[in-house]
Amino acid sequence: MTDKRGDLLDKLKLVEERRALFEAGTASPGSTVIERVLGPCEVVIGGRPTLMFGSNNYLGLTFDPTVMAAARDAIVEYGTGTTGSRTANGTLALHEALERDMADWFGKQHALIFSTGYQANLSVIGGLCGPDDVILIDSDSHASIYDATRQTTSQVVAFRHNSPESLRKKLERLPAGQRNRLVVVEGLYSIRGDVASLRELVEVARAYGAYVLVDEAHSLGTFGPTGLGCAEAQGVLDQVDFVVGTFSKSLAGVGGVCVSDHKEVRSLHFLARAYVFTASGSPANVASVRAAVRVIRKHPELRDTLWVNIAQLREGLHKMGYVIGSTESPIVPIFTGDEARTIALWQKLLIEGLYVNLIVPPGCSRDDCLLRASCSAAHTPQQIAKALDILERARIDVGVTA
Ligand SMILES: Cc1ncc(COP(=O)(O)O)c(C=O)c1O
């Protein structure tokens, strides 16, 4: 009997065809398996010890002894999972304690935590916005922000990446006073590592009566005098209505948070679908994040080390002729252009023992590919020097020119 059920699977066949371009046994994009983790910056891939320069472990806390001990203790005290939603049986004293810690760290009145950073955006944007609202987002926004807007019935307007002028024009065109406006931007953009012009963006947003949400996923822990992110670094934290953060980067765990002085944010506890209809963060996770916050607050010098490492990596790449992004941040994009050459370079690096992130279509256009390297406070000067050495040899082998 012939199958008359149509072409539901055809889009997946395209993925299979693309994967078949890579010979069996060679590293292929999206399929890297880490066999062992030797430390915050070293793993085993394909049986080889590999330097990790592609993680978001910016402060290197995944192996911090106090963070690990907090996770172990929480398992003993609370078990492995919460087996329920925050709104049902999944709120432990631990969850509320982390919310108090977060509010205290940010100097904001309220905090709500989520099972992932992705769900934080889904919950906050989805819970806040309805048919009477307009959401204005940066065109380079993370998928979680785009997905969050898609589940609302709000009007969605994208403005040019990091352009206060474009935001102003979009706001100007909206009919006056009819709808609530929410401007959503990121502090530090996750692929190209550029920092948002928050001072100007916030000024424009507020001039047009808009609320402001800043997603500090990559900047929490890495920017600002006390590690609160780019809004703190640029002196506008008090003018931001909602700060979203994730635990999966500097905080070395999994989860997300929203802090705000608007008390209504706590009502998302009953309202936000991506919060209500999913299990809460596991005890080990929540406890480890509490410990990570304590470490970050107590050890600002971790950030100093991170910035020294960033300077070493950027200087080395620049000297050997790689084209890198102009913004100084823990994310160092290496612009390589052509897709085939970028994949060849990435594979060569991996074989030589260096992991960086590969950004190829659909993450970018075919001739705008890049490698995304990222720095950690836990990288040693020797590890950075070794990574640079691998990058230099691979560049010559693959024929990457400036
Ligand atoms: C800007 C931004 N927001 C949200 C997220 C989602 O965070 P998580 O991976 O913790 O769900 C990410 C993840 O990379 C991100 O870059």
Side-chain angles (χ1 to χ4, degrees), residues 56 116-119 121 142 144-145 186 188 190 215 217-218 246-249 254-256:
N56 303 308
T116 66
Y118 180 90
Q119 284 164 310
N121 277 331
H142 186 260
S144 58
I145 294 172
E186 291 169 39
L188 171 64
S190 57
D215 178 345
H218 294 265
T246 171
F247 304 157
S248 64
K249 311 198 192 295
V254 177

Side-chain angles (χ1 to χ4, degrees), residues 376-397:
S376 169
H379 283 131
T380 63
Q382 294 74 20
Q383 286 175 325
I384 299 172
K386 189 171 171 198
L388 286 168
D389 183 49
I390 294 172
L391 279 151
E392 170 75 320
R393 284 186 280 114
R395 189 182 69 84
I396 295 162
D397 278 4

Side-chain angles (χ1 to χ4, degrees), residues 19-336:
R19 282 174 53 75
L21 294 174
F22 295 88
E23 288 167 36
T26 61
S28 76
S31 306
T32 310
V33 176
I34 293 172
E35 289 140 21
R36 283 170 56 210
V37 180
L38 305 175
C41 301
E42 218 171 346
V43 296
V44 176
I45 297 173
R48 280 183 294 270
T50 303
L51 290 171
M52 176 49 78
F53 276 76
S55 101
N56 303 308
N57 194 6
Y58 301 126
L59 297 179
L61 297 185
T62 49
F63 279 80
D64 179 279
T66 63
V67 173
M68 292 168 83
R72 267 194 299 264
D73 291 349
I75 289 179
V76 173
E77 196 174 340
Y78 294 97
T80 52
T82 64
T83 65
S85 155
R86 284 294 303 274
T87 318
N89 61 305
T91 294
L92 302 174
L94 260 184
H95 295 91
E96 295 205 327
L98 178 55
E99 286 171 344
R100 283 194 299 277
D101 293 348
M102 283 290 174
D104 181 62
W105 188 21
F106 273 87
K108 297 270 187 193
Q109 296 289 312
H110 308 283
L112 198 62
I113 62 167
F114 304 87
S115 305
T116 66
Y118 180 90
Q119 284 164 310
N121 277 331
L122 243 58
S123 304
V124 178
I125 297 171
L128 283 172
C129 298
D132 295 331
D133 309 313
V134 184
I135 313 171
L136 296 109
I137 61 170
D138 186 289
S139 55
D140 263 16
S141 288
H142 186 260
S144 58
I145 294 172
Y146 271 102
D147 292 357
T149 64
R150 284 188 189 131
Q151 31 127 44
T152 69
T153 46
S154 307
Q155 181 186 347
V156 181
V157 177
F159 58 92
R160 201 148 34 82
H161 174 52
N162 209 4
S163 167
E165 188 47 25
S166 171
L167 172 63
R168 192 181 59 74
K169 284 189 183 142
K170 302 283 181 184
L171 280 162
E172 219 167 46
R173 280 185 214 141
L174 295 174
Q178 281 181 3
R179 287 167 149 189
N180 309 305
R181 295 120 187 245
L182 175 68
V183 172
V184 181
V185 291
E186 291 169 39
L188 171 64
Y189 285 84
S190 57
I191 302 296
R192 288 178 172 75
D194 47 334
V195 172
S197 309
L198 288 178
R199 233 175 276 139
E200 294 81 359
L201 288 161
V202 169
E203 192 184 326
V204 171
R206 292 186 77 94
Y208 286 86
Y211 289 82
V212 179
L213 183 156
V214 180
D215 178 345
E216 301 269 21
H218 294 265
S219 27
L220 182 60
T222 59
F223 278 79
T226 63
L228 296 177
C230 292
E232 184 194 34
Q234 295 179 40
V236 292
L237 187 55
D238 59 335
Q239 294 167 58
V240 173
D241 295 278
F242 309 99
V243 178
V244 167
T246 171
F247 304 157
S248 64
K249 311 198 192 295
S250 288
L251 299 183
V254 177
V257 65
C258 175
V259 293
S260 176
D261 280 331
H262 298 291
K263 66 176 183 319
E264 294 77 6
V265 83
R266 295 284 314 172
S267 299
L268 294 174
H269 178 84
F270 300 101
L271 190 78
R273 295 175 67 80
Y275 172 96
V276 174
F277 296 104
T278 195
S280 57
S282 75
N285 217 335
V286 175
S288 76
V289 172
R290 286 196 76 199
V293 170
R294 281 196 291 273
V295 174
I296 295 172
R297 295 183 77 171
K298 205 166 150 204
H299 295 286
E301 72 279 7
L302 279 171
R303 262 189 309 287
D304 300 337
T305 309
L306 172 65
W307 286 95
V308 168
N309 289 350
I310 293 167
Q312 187 187 347
L313 182 67
R314 288 182 63 86
E315 202 183 308
L317 287 167
H318 190 68
K319 268 196 193 142
M320 65 179 78
Y322 275 113
V323 181
I324 60 174
S326 55
T327 312
E328 288 186 15
S329 92
I331 300 164
V332 184
I334 303 171
F335 298 111
T336 40

